[in-house]
Amino acid sequence: MIDAFSPVTIGPVTLPNRFIRSGANEMMTADCLPTKSLLEFHRRLAAGGVGMTTLAYISVSPDGRTFTNQGVINDRSLPHYRAITDAVHHAGALVSAQITHGGSFAQHRELSTPRAMSASGGIDKIGLMMGRFFQRAMTRTDMDQVRDEFVNAARLSAEAGFDAVELHMGHGYLLNQFISPLSNRRRDAYGGSAEGRARFPAEILAAVKQAVGDRVAVIAKINLYDGVKKGATADDAVITARALEKAGADMLVLSGGRNIEAPWAIFSSPLPLDDFAAMKPGFASMLQFKLLKLATPKSVRFSELYFLEAARKVRRSVSCKLGYVGGVLSLEAAQQVLNEGFDTVVMARSLVHDAALVQRFREDPAHRSGCTACNRCVAVMYGPSGTHCPLTGNMIDARLNSLPAGAMEQ
């Protein structure tokens, strides 16, 4: 039996315990820089007992941003990320940079090209709301450029003091646009079979591993399944996991769902779409949320450990370390995950609800998270205070959300 509070080594680093805060968007960036509110958010998690916390959605390039103000790792932002890693380390935890490229999942108009790039061309589902109707298939030159951007982002992350980099290959971002048959219709070596669709993400991971693998842990976040018909399945996830293990992944974090086609599958509960509409006014947004409401299956109900059955398939198929994410609300559930052969327990909403949850588990093994999976934390992140739990009101001072993390105190 693995003790949830025992250390675990992932690549060249050792976590003090098995609990990881999942990479989940915080929206605490301004002018593409991390803010003091983001620093405080992760400092609280470290002080609350997690072994490692993950800064989400750090773009590898300006074109890779999902949102206009999304953080980008570059020479300008490096000292501000260094302020955050220093704060997390001082509080006793390790810290990971989730580096990503949105591809055609870009909800802004500041692209350097008229069309966003993706695995394949065709209708740009996100761009439709902004008058950007089509996306373009990536060329070999594009692929080389993106590979180099990931490598550079990983090097800068190591320089900024991060202990790990997590390549986001799930939820509909660029690398998942290659893995998923919902968006990859290529007829070359990077499309077709599940092996072909995983080839480009595996090449990127191998390049990152070669560049920084002796300095930081190299992790990939992947989908167990897309959650809709004709999407990737758990059998596809096995093939992706094997390709990434062969490429040198130190750990895989197992998630699921797609932001556009099946966001409810990410959370195993419906999104509060009326709350979203209130936070993002406008006809296009209203239409988007109405369509999502119609598409959400009425049968969606939260259940603890909702990804476990699919995750077991991957566990039986690879020997690399695996992080389980999906509905852990108690120490008992965390221990079950570890006893089934997973190496770390990766949590998001329950830690938004209570940043000190891991410490509470340590003090009282019977303690259970009060998170209700209402997903209102996902909606309020678009507000001035960024991500917080509306049930507990534990928001960070909104004034900190406009100050760069490394700015000198006044």
Side-chain angles (χ1 to χ4, degrees), residues 115-127:
R115 297 182 181 183
M117 61 183 174
S118 185
S120 300
I123 300 296
D124 186 335
K125 295 177 182 177
I126 285 291

Side-chain angles (χ1 to χ4, degrees), residues 246-322:
K246 185 176 180 180
D250 294 314
M251 186 172 73
L252 304 177
V253 173
L254 307 177
S255 186
R258 297 256 297 187
N259 283 319
I260 299 177
E261 295 88 352
W264 56 86
I266 301 173
F267 308 106
S268 188
S269 54
L271 289 171
L273 295 172
D274 292 337
D275 287 12
F276 271 97
M279 297 300 296
K280 297 181 69 176
F283 176 77
S285 293
M286 179 191 70
L287 181 61
Q288 175 191 13
F289 298 129
K290 278 187 177 295
L291 292 173
L292 271 176
K293 184 178 288 190
L294 289 172
T296 302
K298 299 296 188 290
S299 60
V300 174
R301 294 289 184 276
F302 178 81
S303 61
E304 200 165 7
L305 303 183
Y306 54 88
F307 281 137
L308 186 56
E309 182 178 353
R312 287 170 175 148
K313 285 191 173 184
V314 176
R315 179 67 290 172
R316 291 193 294 266
S317 304
V318 297
S319 58
C320 66
K321 287 186 168 60
L322 297 179

